[in-house]
Each structure stands twice: as structure tokens, then as C-alpha cells.
């Protein structure tokens, strides 16, 4: 794993945005996995500012609430339109987000997996992390080999997401989410965590035991996973000095390019 820690959210978002921009420049027809939530909002704003060419890019979002229509203000379809897609030149037919209104969840999930395979897999998957360690909406106890499927949100996750809804009763209980096995097949996993509320979840993911009770810890098994952390999100890591020295001295093309731009 690569652990990149920078003082402010602004700095780490800039570094993260440059990694994504570099992929779009080097591989214009790349396949990106995207996330929603608070963490990527500023990242998407920065990518929009960079004025990149998205016309050959294909995207797959991690998840969608079951029962919300694409134009529902709290749906992830709506989130993505507002925060990224309507500001860039991506082709609508290249955007993939699970259909939360499907009448056949099993088929929808199987089709989503097939479509990812058909385009040759995901080059770069953007992830956030839940306070309980979830990635996508793979809640603790999710199979580490799981594929795209329906999941039931934990009370903690519904509570964490309550800020986006007017009434708690409106927060869906179910989501369609890419599985952990699906996420692990992405060629690069890039996890962005900001703020002290993520500190414990990040520390367990990076330095804790690998366990289905903390799904992000599976990234320890991924050959190319990068954690982008601001200082508050890194606050409970023990080996911070080592990670910082490694990043500052790494003869790694990707990181050097990101730093030089
Ligand atoms: C969103 C997703 C979730 C979030 C996570 C963190 O598509 O899959 O795993 O990334 O819940 O959300 P924020 O960034 O709102 O703290």
C-alpha cells in the first residue's frame, strides 16, 4: 500500500486529482470507478477545473440506494450529475450507476458485473471509507469475495448519511453496491479519507488485522492501493513518519509526476 499524508484536505485532494488526471492523459479511454459522499466533492470540483478530456472515459459508480429514482435529490445518480457529469464532456452512454429502481436486482447486479468485464475491467477505482470501515456499501461482515449485490445498511451508516436527508425515515435501508471482490479487481484502488472522524477507520484499515469486520482492511491484499489522507484522517496511524519519509523519497513515476506537476 502507498500511504500519502498531507497537512490539509486541499493539498491531498490536489495530489489525488493529479493521479486521476495523469491516467486520463495517458489512457484517454480509461475506465474509472467513482464514489459519492462528502469526501469526493472537492476532488470532483478540482477535476472539473482541470478541464480534462472525458469523451472516451467510461465510469462505473460504486453504489446506489434501492428505491430512489435517478432524479431523486438524494440518489447517487443525481449526486454524480450535479457534482461531476454535467460539468464535463463525458458521453452519457459511458456512465454506469446501479439502477436503484430495478425490479430484478439479481439480474441488474449480474449485468453490472458483466459490463465491467466487457470494457476490460476498472483501471482506477476511487473509494471513500465509512466510519465502520465499509468500502462501497460493503458493511462489516460482507464477504471479502462478494460481487455486486443488494446490501442492508447498518444503523451507523444510515446515521452517518442522515445529513443528506430531511427525515431519518426517508433514508433507504438497502443499496446496490459493487462487491469487495469487484473492487479488488480494479487495477488501482485509490482511497480518499478526510477529517478526524475517519481516523480510527483508516488506522484499522492500514495497520489493523485484515478482517471482514473492517472491509477496507482487504486493501492490504491489493497490489496497487493508495490511501490519500489529510493529517486529521491519519491521526491514529502509528507509522506516520515512515509513510511520510517513503512518499518524500519514493522513486515512483506516478508520485514524482504528481509532485512535479
Ligand atoms: C459512496 C460509498 C461510501 C462512501 C463512504 C464515505 O459511494 O461507496 O463507501 O465513500 O460512506 O462517505 P463520506 O465521504 O460521505 O464520508
Amino acid at each position: 500500500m502507498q500511504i500519502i499524508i498531507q497537512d490539509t484536505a486541499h493539498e491531498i485532494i490536489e495530489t489525488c486529482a493529479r493521479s486521476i488526471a495523469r491516467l486520463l492523459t495517458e489512457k484517454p479511454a480509461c475506465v474509472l470507478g467513482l464514489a459519492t459522499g462528502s469526501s469526493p466533492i472537492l476532488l470532483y470540483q478540482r477535476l472539473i477545473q482541470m478541464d480534462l478530456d472525458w469523451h472516451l472515459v467510461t465510469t462505473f459508480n460504486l453504489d446506489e440506494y434501492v428505491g430512489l429514482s435517478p432524479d431523486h435529490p438524494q440518489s447517487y445518480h443525481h449526486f454524480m450529475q450535479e457534482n461531476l457529469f454535467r460539468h464535463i464532456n463525458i458521453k452519457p452512454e459511458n456512465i454506469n450507476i446501479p439502477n436503484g429502481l430495478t425490479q430484478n436486482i439479481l439480474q441488474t447486479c449480474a449485468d453490472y458485473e458483466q459490463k465491467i468485464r466487457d470494457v476490460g475491467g476498472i483501471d482506477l477505482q476511487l473509494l471513500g471509507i465509512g466510519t465502520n470501515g465499509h468500502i462501497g456499501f460493503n458493511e462489516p461482515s460482507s464477504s471479502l469475495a462478494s460481487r455486486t449485490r443488494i446490501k442492508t445498511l447498518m444503523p451507523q451508516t444510515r446515521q452517518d448519511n442522515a445529513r443528506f436527508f430531511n427525515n431519518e425515515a426517508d433514508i433507504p435501508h438497502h443499496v446496490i453496491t459493487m462487491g469487495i471482490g469487484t473492487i479488488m479487481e480494479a487495477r488501482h484502488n485509490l482511497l480518499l479519507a478526510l477529517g478526524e472522524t475517519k481516523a480510527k477507520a483508516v488506522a484499522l484499515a492500514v495497520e489493523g488485522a485484515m478482517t471482514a469486520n473492517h472491509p477496507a482492511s482487504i486493501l492490504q491484499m491489493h497490489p496497487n492501493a493508495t490511501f490519500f489522507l489529510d493529517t486529521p484522517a491519519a491521526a491514529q496511524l502509528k507509522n506516520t513518519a515512515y509513510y511520510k519519509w517513503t512518499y518524500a523519497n519514493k522513486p515512483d513515476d506516478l508520485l514524482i509526476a504528481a509532485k512535479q506537476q
Side-chain angles (χ1 to χ4, degrees):
M1 285 189 293
Q2 299 178 72
I3 317 295
I4 306 177
I5 303 165
Q6 289 178 321
D7 285 345
T8 65
H10 176 80
E11 285 171 271
I12 198 68
I13 282 166
E14 184 64 28
T15 306
C16 189
R18 285 178 184 174
S19 292
I20 297 172
R22 185 165 191 235
L23 175 66
L24 263 69
T25 308
E26 288 181 352
K27 188 176 180 186
C30 65
V31 180
L32 283 186
L34 297 175
T36 56
S38 304
S39 313
I41 291 179
L42 291 175
L43 173 69
Y44 292 153
Q45 284 175 11
R46 183 68 190 109
L47 289 172
I48 293 163
Q49 275 176 359
M50 287 175 162
D51 202 20
L52 302 161
D53 185 1
W54 295 75
H55 88 284
L56 293 176
V57 175
T58 299
T59 62
F60 287 87
N61 264 77
L62 283 166
D63 35 36
E64 179 57 289
Y65 288 115
V66 170
L68 298 195
S69 65
D71 56 358
H72 188 289
Q74 268 69 47
S75 76
Y76 288 156
H77 279 77
H78 188 263
F79 175 99
M80 290 307 302
Q81 279 302 326
E82 289 306 305
N83 288 290
L84 183 64
F85 295 147
R86 75 184 180 88
H87 306 281
I88 59 176
N89 67 337
I90 192 164
K91 292 183 182 159
E93 62 269 31
N94 289 348
I95 295 171
N96 299 281
I97 305 177
N99 174 9
L101 290 183
T102 178
Q103 295 302 306
N104 187 341
I105 288 181
L106 284 180
Q107 191 61 52
T108 297
C109 294
D111 291 349
Y112 207 66
E113 290 278 333
Q114 187 58 48
K115 202 156 183 198
I116 294 172
R117 278 193 289 276
D118 288 348
V119 298
I122 293 173
D123 290 302
L124 185 156
Q125 175 66 55
L126 176 65
L127 299 168
I129 185 170
T131 53
N132 63 7
H134 70 218
I135 47 176
F137 276 126
N138 295 286
E139 299 283 44
S141 81
S142 289
S143 160
L144 296 177
S146 51
R147 312 304 306 194
T148 302
R149 71 213 181 290
I150 188 168
K151 281 296 291 180
T152 306
L153 295 178
M154 292 187 83
Q156 174 71 56
T157 301
R158 292 184 71 245
Q159 201 178 313
D160 287 347
N161 289 355
R163 65 192 186 281
F164 298 115
F165 291 83
N166 294 330
N167 301 304
E168 205 186 316
D170 296 341
I171 310 168
H173 284 271
H174 295 103
V175 290
I176 293 175
T177 180
M178 270 187 212
I180 296 176
T182 323
I183 291 168
M184 287 295 282
E185 283 175 5
R187 287 183 272 281
H188 185 185
N189 267 298
L190 189 160
L191 188 148
L192 175 64
L194 307 171
E196 62 179 351
T197 57
K198 299 297 171 68
K200 186 173 177 203
V202 165
L204 287 171
V206 175
E207 296 176 344
M210 201 186 80
T211 165
N213 278 323
H214 199 76
S217 64
I218 188 70
L219 294 170
Q220 295 172 19
M221 288 285 288
H222 195 278
N224 191 12
T226 308
F227 281 65
F228 290 80
L229 309 172
D230 65 3
T231 294
Q236 292 189 33
L237 290 170
K238 292 193 175 69
N239 296 323
T240 305
Y242 170 71
Y243 305 137
K244 285 190 171 179
W245 191 93
T246 302
Y247 177 61
N249 294 283
K250 196 164 189 134
D252 176 322
D253 278 356
L254 186 147
L255 296 181
I256 289 169
K259 282 192 282 189
Q260 282 174 346
Q261 276 170 34

